[in-house]
Amino acid sequence: MRIPGILAEEMLAHCRSELPNEGCGLLAGDEQGIHKVYCLANADASPVGYTIDPTGHFEALQDAERNGWDLVGAFHSHVSGSAYPSPTDVRGAAEPDWVWLVAGPMVGSPELRGYRIRDGRITEEELEIAEG
């Protein structure tokens, strides 16, 4: 999955701004990659879990459709854990065709990694962070 560096930085900045809780959001794009990041509220306001705000989710879907994109994934941070899906993340991965980006740990320089999660199986997705 290709993502412009500026969007990767936007995600990480959002996740940092949400500390001490997990940050989260949605990703819009097409076969060329991710074109927009929607930094949304964590309805759980929790350092160990997240739920994307339903109103923000709906507004992101509408915006993506207006721009000719699809929602292609979601992102969230792990405050102190690694950039790898937790068992809770796997249970919550309801969209099998989405890419799931995880940033963590949010101290120092967090790592950003992508995954596909289908039927409880985690497969790492190559994440190409492009210039710009």
Side-chain angles (χ1 to χ4, degrees):
M1 178 68 60
R2 182 181 183 283
I3 181 168
I6 194 164
L7 295 183
E9 285 302 318
E10 184 179 341
M11 280 189 298
L12 291 173
H14 173 67
C15 291
R16 283 184 193 101
S17 75
E18 294 298 303
L19 288 170
N21 297 320
E22 289 190 1
C24 61
L26 295 169
L27 310 166
D30 56 26
E31 62 280 346
Q32 302 300 315
I34 297 168
H35 297 294
K36 186 163 184 177
V37 169
Y38 299 96
C39 298
L40 302 173
N42 177 352
D44 293 346
S46 167
V48 295
Y50 75 99
T51 298
I52 292 173
D53 171 68
T55 301
H57 188 146
F58 182 68
E59 290 169 354
L61 176 62
Q62 288 180 311
D63 182 73
E65 288 177 348
R66 277 193 301 273
N67 285 286
W69 304 319
D70 293 313
L71 291 181
V72 296
F75 72 90
H76 77 284
S77 60
H78 286 167
V79 173
S80 58
S82 68
Y84 189 81
S86 69
T88 301
D89 297 337
V90 172
R91 283 191 302 276
E95 298 289 341
D97 295 325
W98 278 14
V99 64
W100 301 88
L101 302 186
V102 183
M106 293 309 298
V107 293
S109 297
E111 186 177 21
L112 181 63
R113 294 172 65 184
Y115 304 90
R116 301 285 178 170
I117 303 172
R118 183 179 297 241
D119 299 324
R121 289 187 314 274
I122 302 166
T123 305
E124 187 153 12
E125 173 84 5
E126 183 178 345
L127 191 60
E128 176 192 347
I129 300 177
E131 294 291 322

